[in-house]
């Protein structure tokens, strides 16, 4: 059975030493995040996830969820008890506002928890994850009454939340949704339609489920401009705010799918269900985007979370499994063979995984800090800058993080040889579970288009210019230090490739938008590579400074320097090849007529 240990040392390194969270103590909510509190949250979250969630991950995959004839759904064995323990420990309250029963701690700590839960058990983590997204949409766009009615019980975990966008004929192109919202004349709406693929859409973990549903009111524009957002509770609340009458929403079926079997992916039928509009009519998509942006960051975390757990197990296996001899001569002459860990090709896969997961952790926790600063930084300029940066980075975290996370999980399966292909070792589950992150919350091709078609131009290019300036500054400072200089120079070169690719888009994509579409995926990967290079340089800087003072855990910091160099040598050069692909434009990609793709004689 695979195992999981939360990487608490690495998290503390990033939170305390790289981000220096304590230095933000003057901001609201951060004052409670004392070094002791930070340590406690990291350690206890790690313990909970390793001891309660990880042990039910494999059984969750095997049993999956069960839909009964009455439309009710039961989660896999152990999920209910684990959810109860999650609620009783107050994990869902961590980064939620105090006025609604949360602890008001920084999102940085909320993201730590998200990583650990997602690594230990992605299917389970999605139940509270979806709830957190729904809370953020209601808090941002709901009325005071809606916030008071729904948010406290969602924060406590008594009720859960969902997001309902997708319909059978539309996922990406939401302008086509058909679900109707007809006014009942009393301020409520009758919601009718079919939503598919709704994660956590029906289950037995909570006493109510608060669905956030996109629908169109009569006469609304037939496009994304005609979409409104509604709260549709599974049970309508009585005058005391308690779940009472069963609403007209039911689970028609659950999907049989490739992975995350422990999470119920539901087809939901809305038959005149009572709904309450959130925010303004026809402005629903913008409101839902608040939820989706939070969720996209969460999915980005899932990308490296599955890579992390697969990596942890692959390391153990590679140290244990003996095949062949080291190329440089037997490493363990007394045994018949050496551990496969000695083979450079196995090391390549393990090092790739190590440097990817550690840098993604740094990027995501930095991203969480930007989310905090967006609301809490002292000046308007700082708030605006944080908002621009996290807006720009969200498709990269989601798109690049999950593309690469899946690749890494795949490589970790490869470390096991044939044993990775059989169920017993659990590796194939990590690969299957990680695959969905490339698809939901906007497929990765759409993330790439969001980055290149919208975010690069946002604010007249202010965000991307700020990104370039942030990295230029780090490079300039690192070049002063002989230890860091080689890495800084490699990063400078990769950043140069990104700047050139950006310029190429500016000069060519207006004349032919297909050039943008053809290069968007490559650009997203160039930016992911450069961004992780930036975080490796930052981490190397901290490690080098520590090593100058003979720290207690010297090996940890030395490993950071080795990893940073490995990343600079092995990942950054890819930016150049990707830039050349991007600059090939779209001619040959788009040239062949549809018939040329057919294989029939
Ligand atoms: C397990 C699971 C859980 C899910 N959970 C939820 C949930 O909780 N709530 C919810 O509402 N939905 C959920 N979804 C739906 C998910 O978000 C959609 O499947 C996803 O957004 C893609 O939509 P689609 O499947 O209709 O694909 P399509 O939109 O048909 O896209 C198919 C392909 O075409 C590409 N494509 C489409 N349009 C463009 C474009 N303009 N430019 C470039 N490429 C394009 C896409 O990238 C994709 O590769 C879930 C799906 C699954 C499988």
């Amino acid at each position: 059975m695979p195992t999981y240990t939360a990487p608490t040392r690495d998290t503390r390194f990033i939170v305390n030493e790289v981000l220096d969270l304590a230095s933000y103590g003057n901001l609201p909510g951060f004052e409670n995040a004392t070094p002791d509190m930070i340590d406690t949250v990291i350690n206890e979250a790690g313990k909970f996830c390793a001891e309660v969630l990880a042990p039910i991950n494999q059984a969750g995959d095997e049993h999956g969820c069960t839909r009964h004839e009455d439309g009710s759904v039961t989660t896999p064995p152990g999920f209910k008890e684990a959810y109860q323990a999650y609620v009783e420990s107050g994990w869902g309250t961590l980064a939620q506002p105090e006025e609604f029963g949360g602890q008001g701690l920084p999102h940085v700590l909320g993201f730590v928890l998200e990583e650990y839960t997602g690594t230990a058990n992605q299917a389970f983590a999605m139940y509270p994850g979806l709830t957190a997204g729904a809370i953020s949409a209601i808090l941002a766009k709901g009325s005071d009454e809606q916030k008071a009615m729904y948010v406290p019980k969602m924060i406590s975990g008594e009720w859960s939340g969902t997001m309902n966008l997708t319909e059978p004929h539309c996922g990406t192109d939401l302008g086509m949704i058909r679900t109707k919202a007809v006014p009942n004349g009393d301020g409520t709406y009758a919601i009718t339609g079919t939503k598919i693929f709704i994660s956590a859409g029906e289950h037995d973990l909570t006493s109510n489920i608060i669905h956030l549903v996109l629908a169109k009111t009569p006469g609304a524009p037939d496009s994304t401009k005609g979409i409104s957002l509604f709260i549709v509770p599974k049970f309508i609340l009585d005058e005391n705010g308690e779940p009472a009458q069963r609403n007209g929403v039911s689970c028609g079926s659950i999907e049989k799918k490739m992975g995350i079997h422990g999470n119920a992916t539901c087809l939901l039928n809305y038959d005149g269900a009572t709904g309450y509009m959130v925010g303004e009519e026809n402005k629903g998509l913008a409101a839902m985007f608040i939820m989706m942006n939070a969720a996209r960051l969460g999915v980005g975390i899932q990308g490296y979370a599955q890579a992390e757990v697969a990596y942890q197990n692959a390391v153990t296996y590679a140290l244990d499994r003996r095949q062949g001899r080291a190329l440089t001569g037997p490493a363990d002459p007394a045994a018949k063979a050496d551990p496969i860990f000695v083979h450079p090709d196995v090391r390549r896969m393990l090092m790739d995984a190590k440097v990817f997961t550690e840098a993604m952790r740094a990027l995501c926790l930095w991203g969480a800090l930007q989310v905090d600063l967006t609301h809490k930084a002292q000046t308007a300029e700082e708030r605006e800058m944080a908002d621009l940066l996290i807006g720009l980075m969200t498709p990269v975290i989601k798109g690049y993080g999950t593309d690469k996370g899946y690749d890494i999980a795949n490589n970790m399966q490869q470390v096991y040889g044939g044993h990775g292909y059989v169920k017993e070792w659990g590796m194939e589950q990590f690969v299957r579970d990680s695959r969905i992150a490339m698809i939901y919350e906007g497929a990765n091709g759409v993330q790439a288009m969001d980055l290149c078609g919208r975010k690069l131009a946002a604010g007249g290019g202010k965000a991307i210019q700020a990104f370039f300036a942030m990295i230029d500054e780090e490079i300039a400072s690192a070049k002063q230090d002989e230890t860091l200089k080689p890495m800084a120079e490699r990063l400078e070169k990769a950043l140069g490739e990104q700047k050139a690719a950006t310029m190429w888009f500016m000069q060519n994509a207006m004349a032919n938008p297909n050039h943008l579409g053809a290069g968007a995926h490559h650009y997203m990967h160039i930016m992911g590579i450069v961004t992780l290079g930036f975080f490796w340089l930052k981490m190397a800087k901290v490690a080098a400074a520590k090593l100058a003072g003979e720290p207690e855990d010297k090996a940890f910091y030395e490993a950071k320097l080795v990893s940073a160099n490995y990343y600079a040598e092995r990942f950054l050069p890819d930016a150049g090849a990707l830039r050349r692909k991007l600059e090939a434009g779209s001619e040959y990609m788009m040239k062949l007529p549809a018939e040329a793709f057919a294989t029939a004689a």
Side-chain angles (χ1 to χ4, degrees), residues 62-197:
E62 271 158 31
H63 289 268
C65 296
T66 311
R67 179 186 172 277
H68 306 282
E69 264 187 23
D70 62 357
S72 63
V73 171
T74 37
T75 50
F79 271 44
K80 223 174 156 174
E81 294 76 10
Y83 186 78
Q84 208 44 46
Y86 180 94
V87 169
E88 279 163 16
S89 306
W91 286 119
T93 67
L94 208 63
Q96 299 293 356
E98 284 172 293
E99 62 175 307
F100 295 105
Q103 297 182 54
L105 287 165
H107 278 91
V108 177
L109 294 177
F111 271 41
V112 170
L113 177 71
E114 259 189 77
E115 179 199 317
Y116 292 176
T117 51
T119 317
N121 193 327
Q122 181 172 329
F124 177 94
M126 287 171 68
Y127 292 100
L130 264 303
T131 307
I135 291 169
S136 60
I138 299 176
L139 283 178
K141 297 290 175 185
S143 65
D144 287 346
E145 195 190 353
Q146 288 169 340
K147 289 179 199 169
M149 280 173 87
Y150 297 104
V151 171
K153 288 196 171 157
M154 293 171 81
I155 288 181
S156 71
E158 215 172 309
W159 301 344
S160 63
T162 69
M163 56 188 284
N164 290 237
L165 294 80
T166 309
E167 299 184 5
H169 63 289
C170 73
T172 303
D173 192 352
L174 292 170
M176 297 199 291
I177 67 170
R178 293 183 188 143
T179 299
K180 290 270 164 267
V182 178
N184 286 326
D186 59 358
T188 67
Y189 290 78
I191 312 290
T192 303
T194 303
K195 295 287 180 182
I196 62 164
F197 298 159

Side-chain angles (χ1 to χ4, degrees), residues 418-546:
H419 300 274
Y421 199 69
V422 297
K423 277 194 174 290
E424 185 191 345
W425 290 88
M427 297 305 280
E428 54 85 48
Q429 184 191 347
F430 300 141
V431 177
R432 286 187 288 103
D433 283 358
S434 70
R435 185 63 182 85
I436 185 58
M438 296 162 71
I439 298 170
Y440 57 21
E441 292 310 331
N444 284 357
V446 177
Q447 300 299 323
M449 285 305 289
D450 178 43
L451 173 66
C452 299
R454 292 178 59 232
K455 301 288 172 60
L456 287 184
K462 206 169 167 184
I464 191 70
Q465 291 308 330
F467 172 83
F468 289 152
M470 177 174 81
I471 299 182
D472 276 332
E473 199 182 309
E474 195 71 34
I475 291 170
S477 132
K479 277 164 87 179
Q480 308 303 315
D481 181 320
E482 284 309 310
T483 311
L484 305 175
K485 199 171 171 203
M487 291 172 231
E489 285 173 350
R490 286 180 195 276
L491 180 59
E492 190 171 35
K493 193 154 181 237
L495 182 65
E497 308 285 9
Q498 190 187 346
K499 287 178 180 172
T502 314
M503 186 60 77
W504 193 89
F505 270 160
M506 281 168 66
Q507 290 167 345
N508 296 280
M510 289 286 263
N512 183 352
N514 273 343
H515 288 339
L516 189 84
H521 169 86
H522 303 315
Y523 189 91
M524 183 173 77
H525 276 242
I526 296 174
M527 189 154 166
I529 290 166
V530 168
T531 305
L532 297 195
F534 166 70
F535 280 100
W536 266 119
L537 193 57
K538 276 178 99 62
M539 291 192 284
K541 195 172 167 184
V542 174
K546 281 277 172 182

Side-chain angles (χ1 to χ4, degrees), residues 220-501:
D222 189 18
S223 68
T224 51
K225 294 197 171 80
I227 300 175
S228 302
L229 178 65
F230 298 87
I231 288 174
V232 184
K234 176 177 166 184
F235 289 98
I236 298 171
L237 307 189
D238 64 17
E239 62 279 8
N240 300 317
E242 293 302 325
Q245 188 195 330
R246 185 73 166 86
N247 207 349
V249 49
S250 58
C251 171
S253 61
I254 56 176
E255 301 294 342
K256 290 187 173 63
K257 56 194 192 290
M258 178 177 177
I260 53 165
H261 294 160
N263 196 273
T265 308
C266 301
L267 178 147
L268 292 183
N269 290 315
Y270 288 86
D271 298 309
T274 301
Y276 310 90
M277 190 181 281
V278 180
E280 287 177 58
E281 189 169 358
N282 297 336
K283 298 273 171 65
L285 199 57
M288 192 61 117
F289 259 102
I290 292 168
M291 177 163 183
M292 282 164 68
N293 280 332
R296 282 175 178 178
L297 293 173
V299 173
I301 295 174
Q302 287 177 359
Y304 80 89
Q306 288 308 299
E308 164 74 29
V309 67
Y311 159 72
Q312 287 189 12
N313 285 280
V315 170
T316 308
Y317 189 81
L319 288 168
D320 185 56
R321 174 77 173 170
R322 286 171 184 269
Q323 294 290 298
R325 287 297 189 189
L327 295 174
T328 49
D332 185 0
K336 279 202 160 170
D338 288 333
I340 59 171
F341 193 73
V342 302
H343 303 308
D345 191 59
V346 172
R347 281 295 187 100
R348 169 185 65 79
M349 293 188 274
L350 295 176
M351 280 302 291
D352 279 4
K354 182 172 171 56
V355 300
F356 169 75
T357 52
E358 291 179 18
M360 273 304 291
R361 179 170 301 116
L363 165 60
C364 288
L365 293 177
W366 170 88
L369 182 59
Q370 304 314 304
V371 173
D372 282 317
L373 294 177
T374 298
H375 305 292
K376 295 177 175 170
Q378 274 170 337
T379 68
E381 291 87 70
E382 284 172 297
R383 290 195 292 274
E384 191 204 353
M385 187 47 66
D387 193 42
L388 279 172
L389 283 175
I390 192 60
L392 178 74
M393 292 311 303
T394 297
V396 179
I397 291 173
K398 197 283 182 184
Y400 177 73
T402 62
D403 274 358
K404 196 74 195 160
Y406 175 70
D407 273 0
I408 299 282
N410 236 324
N411 274 345
M412 296 305 94
Q413 182 185 27
Q414 187 74 10
V415 169
Y416 279 69
H419 300 274
Y421 199 69
V422 297
K423 277 194 174 290
E424 185 191 345
W425 290 88
M427 297 305 280
E428 54 85 48
Q429 184 191 347
F430 300 141
V431 177
R432 286 187 288 103
D433 283 358
S434 70
R435 185 63 182 85
I436 185 58
M438 296 162 71
I439 298 170
Y440 57 21
E441 292 310 331
N444 284 357
V446 177
Q447 300 299 323
M449 285 305 289
D450 178 43
L451 173 66
C452 299
R454 292 178 59 232
K455 301 288 172 60
L456 287 184
K462 206 169 167 184
I464 191 70
Q465 291 308 330
F467 172 83
F468 289 152
M470 177 174 81
I471 299 182
D472 276 332
E473 199 182 309
E474 195 71 34
I475 291 170
S477 132
K479 277 164 87 179
Q480 308 303 315
D481 181 320
E482 284 309 310
T483 311
L484 305 175
K485 199 171 171 203
M487 291 172 231
E489 285 173 350
R490 286 180 195 276
L491 180 59
E492 190 171 35
K493 193 154 181 237
L495 182 65
E497 308 285 9
Q498 190 187 346
K499 287 178 180 172

